């Protein structure tokens, strides 16, 4: 039995959910999202919220039960609060700025890196060394943050590069004489 899967996903005020076939659609104040669940899992909407359950005799359904419930919960959280991923830039001369629909990154290369901001994502630079990626789709927010980080991942000797705000970089000791 899945402890996570057993709990229904509560729907706050202003949020509506519908199940059509294997697709769960959630509509709220920040927008509308949908997710396609695997065939071995079924979802239903009642007065408690959205309930996810495995189909009878489907072993993969029991395996995907908790994941499916979490995906539906991410939809509800996304349309009510949204998701934010914060990045930090460390290094002399490393900075970021938003220019129109592009994020301009100066990361020590001979040229600036221009990252086009996808639809549904907003990027804010509070400081030249701090980036906040936010949106309603948790997967898309994480993917954009990972792509920005991949341009210059933090290195272990001085910690220079782009890192997640909560990420801890294990530092190595340098050369000894």
């Amino acid at each position: 039995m899945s402890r996570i899967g057993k709990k229904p996903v509560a729907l706050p005020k202003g949020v509506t959910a519908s199940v059509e076939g294997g697709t769960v659609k959630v509509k709220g104040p920040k927008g509308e999202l949908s997710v396609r669940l695997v065939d071995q899992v079924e979802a239903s909407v009642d007065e408690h919220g959205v309930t996810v359950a495995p189909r009878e005799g489907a072993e993969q359904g029991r395996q995907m039960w908790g994941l499916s419930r979490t995906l539906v919960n991410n939809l509800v959280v996304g349309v009510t609060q949204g998701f934010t991923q914060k990045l930090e830039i460390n290094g002399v001369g490393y900075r970021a700025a938003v220019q129109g629909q592009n994020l301009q990154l100066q990361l020590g290369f001979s040229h600036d890196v221009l990252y086009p901001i996808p639809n549904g994502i907003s990027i804010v630079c509070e400081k030249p060394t701090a980036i906040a990626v936010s949106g309603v789709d948790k997967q898309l927010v994480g993917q954009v943050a990972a792509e920005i980080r991949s341009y210059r991942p933090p290195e272990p000797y001085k910690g220079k590069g782009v890192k997640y705000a909560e990420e801890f970089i294990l530092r190595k000791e340098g050369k000894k004489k």
Side-chain angles (χ1 to χ4, degrees):
M1 293 288 284
S2 172
R3 286 183 288 190
I4 294 173
K6 282 192 282 188
K7 299 175 188 170
V9 178
L11 296 175
K13 288 186 176 163
V15 176
T16 59
S18 63
V19 179
E20 299 165 9
T23 304
V24 178
K25 293 183 180 179
V26 178
K27 191 181 279 189
K30 290 198 176 225
E32 182 176 350
L33 292 172
S34 65
V35 66
R36 173 99 174 102
L37 302 178
V38 294
D39 293 334
Q40 291 83 3
V41 174
E42 57 189 359
S44 60
V45 180
D46 55 11
E47 67 275 358
H48 301 295
V50 180
T51 306
V52 179
R55 294 191 192 274
E56 285 294 321
E59 185 176 343
Q60 188 187 10
R62 287 198 332 267
Q63 295 169 357
M64 302 295 281
W65 187 11
L67 169 72
S68 301
R69 189 253 182 218
T70 303
L71 291 175
V72 173
N73 187 52
N74 286 344
L75 299 182
V76 173
V77 172
V79 298
T80 54
Q81 302 167 2
F83 294 98
T84 302
Q85 185 76 52
K86 294 186 182 290
L87 298 166
E88 292 177 354
I89 301 174
N90 296 323
V92 177
Y94 289 13
R95 62 181 58 94
V98 177
Q99 294 184 339
Q101 283 298 320
N102 291 322
L103 175 68
Q104 181 183 11
L105 299 165
Q106 295 175 351
L107 298 173
F109 299 122
S110 61
H111 59 283
D112 292 352
V113 176
L114 286 179
Y115 181 77
I117 301 173
N119 293 336
I121 294 292
S122 65
I123 296 180
V124 178
C125 294
E126 300 101 17
K127 298 185 288 186
T129 59
I131 303 170
V133 180
S134 57
V136 294
D137 188 358
K138 185 174 186 176
Q139 189 274 331
L140 186 59
V141 169
Q143 181 67 37
V144 168
E147 288 173 2
I148 294 171
R149 181 184 182 275
S150 71
Y151 286 120
R152 180 72 83 168
E155 53 96 15
Y157 295 101
K158 292 185 178 179
K160 291 169 49 172
V162 181
K163 71 178 190 81
Y164 299 114
E166 68 278 356
E167 184 179 10
F168 178 75
I169 307 300
L170 277 175
R171 304 293 282 273
K172 292 183 177 179
E173 190 176 347
K175 286 194 269 184
K176 294 181 180 175
K177 288 189 172 188

